[in-house]
Amino acid sequence: MHALFSRPPGRLAAALLLAALPACKPAGPGGSVPTAAAPAEERHPLTGEILKVDAVKNTLLVRHEAVAGYMPGMTMEFAVAAADAATTHEGERIRAELVVDATGARLEKIWPVDPVADSTVAAAAGALRQETTIRGKGAFREIGENLPDFALYDQEARVVQAARFHGRQIVLNFIYTRCPIATMCPAATSLMIAVQRQAREAGVTNLELVSITLDPENDTPGVLKAYAKVRGIDTSNFSFLTGPEGAIKDLLTQFGVIAQFEGSILKHSLSTLLINADGKIIWRAEGSQWSPDEFVGRMKKG
Ligand SMILES: [Cu+2]
């Protein structure tokens, strides 16, 4: 009998108890007790220059500008994700989100700041915007039309322009790294990997696989790099691209992909396109039930 009651509370019970604590309210007027505020997470935009990358400790030493309303400019070490430590380099200027919580200060959402790269990406985004507007209802690119021009960042934070793929056959889709639905983006990425392998086996020598993020707000170059690394993806001819939200929206319009946030879940459709070496769209498949043969069979070999 005693054993029943002397058992320590289960983990769940303990968690519930802890969760209930901060909700305790003073009973009434005058009974107000100063409660230690829950260790709130603060987020501030930060810009600065990387002085040192430590890819073992996963830290960046950054000489940063003043963080409005938070701290003056100084040189400070920040924790970062392993992929960010692997993507950034000394001497690089970055913009990031400074996250301060009970565990310390870290940088998230790290983007390179390079005037030349940024102006290339911004100019392409502007042209894409204009073109999408001009095409209006005809923005959607049918089979037989060309790949639109774009400039985005890849998983190494390098600028990638559509022109780079000229003379290459491309399989292109849109995914996002946080997609929780196994039959959607994770399945799409598995299919892309299968296409990559089967095309190689079939003797296709000029294939490029391109996955553009649907969620550029979260999917920075470092996040995309981590996504590829965790899945053991061979990125020698498989690029993960991100960039300005506007440019990605316009590409979605032109490629006929629907994506909309509902709370924190991004509801989206899936399309995969095959573009030939002349930059012409020659095939597309919807959803994630297609077979890699559909694509590999339509590729030029040798
Ligand atoms: Cu998805």
Side-chain angles (χ1 to χ4, degrees):
M1 281 292 271
H2 265 96
L4 262 178
F5 297 99
S6 61
R7 270 175 62 186
R11 226 180 243 190
L12 180 63
L16 286 173
L17 187 65
L18 281 173
L21 283 176
C24 290
K25 292 258 167 65
S32 154
V33 179
T35 47
E41 181 190 86
E42 285 194 52
R43 288 179 175 263
H44 302 274
L46 177 146
T47 54
E49 184 190 339
I50 299 173
L51 301 184
K52 199 170 171 7
V53 179
D54 189 326
V56 177
K57 284 194 300 169
N58 294 325
T59 58
L60 300 181
L61 184 66
V62 180
R63 180 165 56 213
H64 67 80
E65 280 103 67
V67 177
Y70 191 69
M71 65 170 153
M74 63 176 87
T75 298
M76 225 177 124
E77 197 175 60
F78 298 97
V80 292
D84 284 325
T87 317
T88 48
H89 56 265
E90 285 165 25
E92 182 183 18
R93 278 191 59 76
I94 53 164
R95 63 183 162 85
E97 234 172 67
L98 166 64
V99 186
V100 189
D101 63 15
T103 66
R106 63 182 186 277
L107 296 182
E108 290 182 0
K109 300 189 177 170
I110 300 175
W111 289 87
V113 176
D114 171 341
V116 175
D118 291 348
S119 69
T120 302
V121 170
L128 198 57
R129 183 79 284 272
Q130 197 175 17
E131 184 194 56
T132 308
T133 308
I134 290 169
R135 289 175 67 105
K137 284 203 171 84
F140 173 73
R141 291 187 180 245
E142 311 272 356
I143 286 177
E145 288 194 79
N146 285 327
L147 176 73
D149 216 354
F150 60 79
L152 298 167
Y153 295 97
D154 73 1
Q155 73 282 356
E156 301 291 342
R158 298 172 296 211
V159 174
V160 172
Q161 292 178 266
R164 197 192 89 186
F165 300 118
H166 204 78
R168 316 273 294 169
Q169 304 181 80
I170 312 167
V171 178
L172 181 147
N173 74 354
F174 293 85
I175 54 133
Y176 74 111
T177 64
R178 289 188 292 186
C179 184
I181 303 164
T183 52
M184 294 291 281
C185 301
T189 296
S190 299
L191 279 166
M192 292 288 270
I193 294 168
V195 166
Q196 184 183 36
R197 192 189 54 241
Q198 289 188 29
R200 190 174 291 145
E201 287 166 3
V204 178
T205 54
N206 63 346
L207 179 66
E208 294 282 342
L209 298 113
V210 177
S211 285
I212 302 176
T213 182
L214 295 160
D215 181 19
E217 163 71 17
N218 180 70
D219 290 343
T220 58
V223 168
L224 293 174
K225 187 179 173 124
Y227 181 82
K229 197 172 172 198
V230 162
R231 286 159 185 78
I233 291 171
D234 167 9
T235 51
S236 62
N237 66 336
F238 194 165
S239 307
F240 290 86
L241 305 185
T242 184
E245 209 164 324
I248 288 179
K249 273 215 172 90
D250 286 328
L251 287 172
L252 291 174
T253 304
Q254 296 208 10
F255 284 120
V257 175
I258 298 157
Q260 199 169 7
F261 270 104
E262 280 179 23
S264 63
I265 300 284
L266 183 56
K267 296 271 174 96
H268 66 96
S269 62
L270 272 178
S271 300
T272 309
L273 296 102
L274 177 61
I275 295 130
N276 72 12
D278 299 325
K280 200 163 275 187
I281 300 166
I282 58 167
W283 184 247
R284 61 181 284 152
E286 308 305 323
S288 59
Q289 299 298 309
W290 48 269
S291 135
D293 300 332
E294 258 180 67
F295 283 79
V296 178
R298 288 179 167 83
M299 289 175 195
K300 258 221 163 75
K301 318 294 187 306

